[in-house]
Amino acid sequence: MGTHKKISKIAMSMVVVISGFATVVSTAAISAEKKSRAEWKKEYVRPSEIPFPKENPYTAAKADLGRTLFFDPRLSGANYISCGTCHNPSFARGDGLAKGIGHAMTKLGRRTPTILNLAFGEDLMWDGRFETLEQQALGPMSAPVEMNQNMKAIVAELQQIPEYQTLFNVSFPGKGITVENIAKAIATFERTVVSGVAPFDRWGAGDDHAISTSAKRGFDLFNNKANCVACHSGWNFTDSSFHDIGMPDKDIGRGKVVPGVVVMQHAFKVPTLRNAVERAPYMHDGSLKNLYSVVEHYDNGFVTRPSKSEEIYKLKLTSVEKTDLVEFMKTLSSKDAPIAFPRLPAYDQTVAGSLNVSPAAGPSAGSTANRVPKGACNSFLMHYIPCSK
Amino acid sequence: MKTKILACAMATLFVVAGAAPVTAEVVINQKAKKFDKKKIEIKKGETVKFVNSDSISHNIHSRSAGYKFDLGVSKPGTTASKVFDKAGKFKVRCAIHPKMKLTVKVN
């Protein structure tokens, strides 16, 4: 949400006098984003294909392997948490909790973000500390408070599973099971997780009956008075930007990753609104229970401080307008087909052996042991759990 | 008399010019959450002027090793300038909008 700018063609001319000569160095016209409903619709057309990086191109085998790994709890230290535990398809790839739950029931510092549409994202996680999905895949897996997986042990553990050896050799010929290839496979799968066609998309394509009159008014508000479009722009309803939206907690978010930049203090990633209605509660701290609460926050519920985004200001919405905005956001949810969970590869049945996994019982919450050890405290971990001094 | 005034004025002009040598300036425009260029090449000591032609604020900064800087919030219609006084290749981004990326090669 943000400032409804009404800058109508302000012509800006800068004249600089250098050594007695007047030189026009810049003339820029700033046009207001004043568009018709039909023009705004064009801004939200779904893309025709998913982008994959040249360093990790798509193959069907790799995506299938990544999907299997994503739902395999053996990728956690105690073998009971998979990526899919928190990024649950039934909750639009979130977990339905205010704060995530990690290893040994450790309560994490932020709400679990969705993995929907991350192929189109930039700088991942609430604080953007991972530049690529490959990095992101390994972060929670190795974090002691999340999946608590020893990354050296995971390779040996997967090598005990003959089918994984086959699957990795098919996807990564001559390289097999490595930490890097685990990340590449999971990232490839995650890029295929794209929200389906929603009523809004059908409306945009010409079906005038696909959404309600209230939702249509909400769309107009979204792009004008409420100016949600300042950040939730494009088909994915996010521009991947970071803003301090005035949540009252003390978490400085992006500020730890980009210290020294005022507007990055208390700033967090703008999430997609696709399928958001299934992902309550909301915001990075999970403090708002429904979308109406979210609209109330942007209307007049934020705190003001030096880092507050320029796009956040009092909207003065009526109760009908708030309802219209919620009705519009509800139209962004696709009714996707149920997810088929993969059959997980079995351990080798031909030789005797025992598993060596991390203990399920972790340190109790609040104890000094439940801190990132001094020296290991880095930008990957420090926001989840206090660092030892 | 007129000749003396003209000579005096020109002398003043050259003193001013000598005190503040004119350097080249490259203008980068910000519009629709994009820079109008992805890469530029400049000489050491030259200035890059970032013009915000968008209807939202931007914040030019760099986290390049050994050359971090932050130009602060640039509101719509304003400009922010940076003199690149060190040779190298630097990544410049908008802190708010990470998809805005510019590589500045300083020779």
Side-chain angles (χ1 to χ4, degrees):
Chain A
M1 308 282 178
T3 312
H4 178 45
K5 300 285 191 298
K6 288 184 176 178
I7 305 170
S8 53
K9 294 185 178 178
I10 299 170
M12 183 181 68
S13 297
M14 298 190 62
V15 180
V16 176
V17 178
I18 304 173
S19 299
F21 297 96
T23 308
V24 177
V25 297
S26 172
T27 300
I30 302 169
S31 302
E33 299 296 320
K34 203 68 182 173
K35 300 175 184 174
S36 67
R37 179 185 278 180
E39 288 172 320
W40 276 118
K41 279 184 176 181
K42 294 175 184 173
E43 300 285 327
Y44 298 94
V45 175
R46 297 172 63 86
S48 57
E49 58 184 33
I50 301 171
F52 289 86
K54 64 179 185 299
E55 298 83 7
N56 188 21
Y58 172 83
T59 68
K62 203 180 345 178
D64 283 347
L65 171 58
R67 180 167 161 271
T68 303
L69 291 167
F70 188 88
F71 288 105
D72 194 335
R74 290 170 293 188
L75 265 63
S76 64
N79 286 1
Y80 71 83
I81 306 172
S82 74
C83 307
T85 301
C86 297
H87 301 290
N88 185 341
S90 298
F91 281 118
R93 313 286 174 165
D95 59 13
L97 299 169
K99 300 276 171 52
I101 300 290
H103 177 71
M105 295 305 290
T106 304
K107 189 175 182 180
L108 305 179
R110 296 175 187 152
R111 185 169 72 94
T112 300
T114 184
I115 64 156
L116 269 181
N117 306 332
L118 292 186
F120 304 88
E122 188 85 29
D123 287 358
L124 305 155
M125 309 292 272
W126 282 113
D127 56 14
R129 65 190 182 279
F130 298 122
E131 290 189 6
T132 67
L133 263 178
E134 286 74 11
Q135 294 172 7
Q136 186 275 330
L138 298 180
M141 198 186 304
S142 58
V145 292
E146 294 196 53
M147 293 171 74
N148 193 36
Q149 178 62 60
N150 180 316
M151 298 312 290
K152 290 180 180 173
I154 187 60
V155 173
E157 197 171 344
L158 293 184
Q159 282 172 338
Q160 296 176 47
I161 303 170
E163 191 176 338
Y164 267 132
Q165 293 192 31
T166 302
L167 293 172
F168 272 89
N169 286 332
V170 169
S171 293
F172 306 99
K175 295 179 180 175
I177 301 173
T178 67
V179 169
E180 180 183 358
N181 290 343
I182 292 170
K184 283 184 170 181
I186 293 174
T188 300
F189 163 68
E190 288 184 320
R191 290 190 176 98
T192 68
V193 180
V194 178
S195 55
V197 174
F200 169 77
D201 300 308
R202 292 197 292 275
W203 181 57
D207 179 358
D208 198 45
H209 301 292
I211 69 174
S212 68
T213 302
S214 171
K216 291 171 188 174
R217 289 197 304 265
F219 178 67
D220 295 336
L221 289 162
F222 190 90
N223 293 300
N224 293 283
K225 181 178 177 180
N227 204 22
C228 315
V229 69
C231 307
H232 291 283
S233 58
W235 87 274
N236 195 23
F237 291 87
T238 174
D239 60 5
S240 289
S241 58
F242 297 94
H243 295 267
D244 172 8
I245 58 168
M247 297 301 292
D249 67 336
K250 294 180 180 176
D251 190 344
I252 66 167
R254 184 76 172 157
K256 282 190 177 177
V257 181
V258 188
V261 180
V262 173
V263 293
M264 290 297 99
Q265 302 302 305
H266 302 279
F268 293 89
K269 167 73 66 184
V270 175
T272 178
L273 297 182
R274 288 275 179 181
N275 298 53
V277 72
E278 289 118 44
R279 277 197 301 279
Y282 300 103
M283 307 310 204
H284 70 271
D285 61 357
S287 62
L288 302 182
K289 70 175 184 179
N290 57 30
L291 290 174
Y292 198 93
S293 308
V294 172
V295 174
E296 288 273 6
H297 168 83
Y298 285 116
D299 183 50
N300 194 15
F302 49 85
V303 299
T304 297
R305 53 196 167 208
S307 55
K308 182 180 71 65
S309 172
E310 295 280 333
E311 318 305 333
I312 302 295
Y313 76 110
K314 292 181 180 178
L315 297 172
K316 299 179 180 176
L317 297 170
T318 66
S319 59
V320 172
E321 288 173 332
K322 291 172 188 174
T323 300
D324 288 343
L325 280 165
V326 173
E327 287 302 307
F328 165 66
M329 285 189 277
K330 286 162 66 177
T331 72
L332 303 179
S333 283
S334 52
K335 298 290 185 282
D336 297 337
I339 304 297
F341 282 77
R343 179 192 57 78
L344 299 179
Y347 285 110
D348 187 354
Q349 304 294 332
T350 62
V351 293
S354 60
L355 292 175
N356 181 24
V357 299
S358 307
S364 60
S367 73
T368 54
N370 197 24
R371 291 174 179 267
V372 178
K374 187 178 181 181
C377 195
N378 57 32
S379 60
F380 278 33
L381 308 174
M382 61 187 180
H383 80 281
Y384 288 116
I385 193 168
C387 296
S388 293
K389 296 177 181 175
Chain B
M1 186 63 180
K2 284 183 181 176
T3 308
K4 282 185 180 178
I5 292 172
L6 184 61
C8 190
M10 289 192 69
T12 304
L13 193 62
F14 286 128
V15 167
V16 171
V22 178
T23 56
E25 183 177 75
V26 177
V27 176
I28 296 292
N29 196 34
Q30 301 162 90
K31 180 71 177 169
K33 301 176 185 174
K34 292 176 184 172
F35 291 125
D36 64 350
K37 300 181 183 71
K38 291 183 177 177
K39 297 178 184 176
I40 57 171
E41 196 166 333
I42 62 174
K43 292 177 182 174
K44 184 179 171 183
E46 289 184 342
T47 300
V48 178
K49 176 180 282 186
F50 297 92
V51 179
N52 185 358
S53 301
D54 244 329
S55 56
I56 55 174
S57 295
H58 293 298
N59 191 126
I60 302 298
H61 86 134
S62 176
R63 296 166 67 196
S64 296
Y67 205 64
K68 296 180 180 178
F69 63 84
D70 173 41
L71 302 187
V73 173
S74 175
K75 294 186 178 182
T78 64
T79 63
S81 294
K82 169 67 182 171
V83 177
F84 284 81
D85 53 7
K86 183 178 178 179
K89 198 172 183 179
F90 308 111
K91 292 180 180 176
V92 176
R93 299 176 89 176
C94 171
I96 301 169
H97 305 99
K99 289 190 175 184
M100 295 174 64
K101 299 174 183 174
L102 171 71
T103 300
V104 179
K105 187 180 179 188
V106 184
N107 298 314

